[in-house]
Amino acid sequence: MVTIDNISEGRGAETADSSARQDNAASCSNSHPLEITTEDPVDGSTDMSLADGAQSSGNGPNLAGLTNHVVNTLREWYVLASDSIADILEGRLIQQPSKDVWLLGRHYEATKFEQNDASQGWMDKYPPGFVEDFSRLIWCTYRSHYPPIAPSAFTTDAGWGCMLRAGQTLLAQALQLHHFGRNWGFSWESSRDEDKRRSRQYVGIVKQFFDDYSGTSIFSIHRMSSIGKKFEGKDIGQWFGPHGTASIIRKLAQEAKHELNVYTTTDGVVYLADICADEFQPTLILVTSMLGIDRVNPVYYPFIQASLTLPQSAGIAGGKPSSALYFAGFQGDELFYLDPHYTRQAVIHRNDDAYTAADLATYSCSTPRRIPLGRLDPCMVFGYYCDTLASLIDLRSRIDLLADDGMKTLLTFDNGHSPDTAAVRVETDVGTSIQPDGPSKSVAAISTDAQTHDDAMSLELLPQSDSDSSGIAVSEGSGCSVEHRSEGSEIILEEGNASEEEWVTDM
């Protein structure tokens, strides 16, 4: 029996009069979440009375920042009140037994709990370390007072940019996984070389989402809106859906020749020949899905949860009707989310990159919010980050195991090219090519190649189906080629290739 434990280690347009949304002072801690040590505390200038974007001056906070703060506080009260009413109507006020917590593939057992600050309420208890881990997620929200998005006069995306922001948040976690792995904490003020390096990398990630046209702002709201107008036919100021957002991210990554390859699918099929036609590049797979009509069909609840337990998970960009959200984990039948519907002033671009924890404090939140699966909108984008071919094969194997156990999954894998590129033959060093062979289960044999770099692996994908047993042999750095095999269906990682993800199972 495959369980969650052994698998891991909206749609809807917002109305034009949607109010700007932002969390209040109680929603975010005064210290930056990445400050994981007690030494060298952040300077006291991180007063959260200015966290909404108000800049200190001789005359006090500026009017725009103060306005944002007031609106955001009202928004926070509204969210708390509406959630409480919904909980009462659904009978959720009765405290439920403590349950394990999952956050982007990381498991927190329910054996010990900690009470977070009083702003969360008496019911919100989480395992130690979870809130700190949650606060390290990069949070992209509405921004205001940035340069106009040409050719429009928009200087804020409040009311229409929530799905783009949810997409940015998903991509930001993938970039953190790419640069840091799953252990992405560091101390801003530490003098250690490793912390200094990580702080520079963190700044480099966040800068890609700054709100302007600078060369480093690859995925800014400006560029996303412009690409959406060009390829999706959406005027600037119109709401974007999950499919459009995924397509925009892929196009921007391609145009920038980004270090992260972005692969998108709308039918749930991942075509491996399209991903590994050349040398394998770390890849973010975005799967756009429609899981029901007005609400998510309950048959998909287990997969939504299981997806967030996978080590490759970068989260889900989805939401509730008329409001986009980013989902990163779950407890019981409730998902943890980051809400982009809060407006902050745009961060001022600095040429010297001398940003501090206080400067980037509005890109994080230490108050987890939850939403029941039954309230979700059915349109969403699932994100999976694979840094190596081994990780991609592992993802395929885990998804196949879920399907074998009878779970309704959204994802299948095909060894060939997508229909759009089926006519293109991918030539390899030995002159062979990959041919589509239909969806199939996968098994993998991984062995070390003594002639290559220590980190390189030679992988053989040995799919098994009712019709044939042909497969793809994949070797990092040398593209993909075809081998025909008829061997057993066992996943084996040989000793010497051991990693945290090593596992052996009989299919």
Side-chain angles (χ1 to χ4, degrees), residues 316-337:
I316 303 170
K320 54 187 177 181
S322 300
S323 297
L325 302 170
Y326 167 76
F327 305 114
F330 69 94
Q331 183 181 34
D333 67 345
E334 295 180 313
L335 301 187
F336 292 104
Y337 68 86

Side-chain angles (χ1 to χ4, degrees), residues 91-98 115 121-125 370:
R92 291 179 175 272
L93 274 188
I94 301 176
Q95 190 170 10
Q96 300 296 320
S98 298
Q115 178 71 48
W122 62 275
M123 286 179 56
D124 296 321
K125 294 183 177 180
R370 298 179 302 194

Side-chain angles (χ1 to χ4, degrees), residues 351-404:
N351 293 329
D352 59 1
D353 281 353
Y355 297 96
T356 66
D359 296 326
L360 303 182
T362 55
Y363 280 94
S364 63
C365 181
S366 59
T367 303
R369 297 297 185 199
R370 298 179 302 194
I371 182 173
L373 287 163
R375 297 182 198 169
L376 302 185
D377 188 272
C379 289
M380 54 187 69
V381 178
F382 291 76
Y384 305 96
Y385 169 73
C386 299
D387 59 339
T388 64
L389 279 170
S391 179
L392 177 60
I393 301 304
D394 180 68
L395 173 64
R396 176 175 182 169
S397 298
R398 291 173 187 266
I399 296 296
D400 285 344
L401 280 174
L402 292 174
D404 289 345

Side-chain angles (χ1 to χ4, degrees), residues 14 22 39 69 77 104 114 240 288 356 406 455 460-461 465:
E14 293 185 289
Q22 183 156 354
E39 61 182 14
H69 183 71
W77 290 347
L104 297 185
E114 61 184 2
F240 287 81
T288 305
T356 66
D455 294 333
E460 293 178 337
L461 196 89
S465 64

Side-chain angles (χ1 to χ4, degrees), residues 249-306:
I249 291 174
R250 176 175 56 83
K251 289 182 173 67
L252 286 174
Q254 289 175 340
E255 287 188 357
K257 294 181 172 53
H258 200 272
E259 60 186 332
L260 190 65
N261 176 45
V262 178
Y263 178 90
T264 61
T265 175
T266 58
D267 59 3
V269 181
V270 175
Y271 294 93
L272 297 179
D274 290 344
I275 294 178
C276 61
D278 301 310
E279 286 191 18
F280 182 84
Q281 183 180 359
T283 299
L284 172 62
I285 299 173
L286 297 177
V287 183
T288 305
S289 301
M290 181 76 173
L291 308 182
I293 301 177
D294 296 322
R295 300 284 181 177
V296 175
N297 188 323
V299 72
Y300 292 110
Y301 289 174
F303 180 77
I304 293 174
Q305 294 171 307

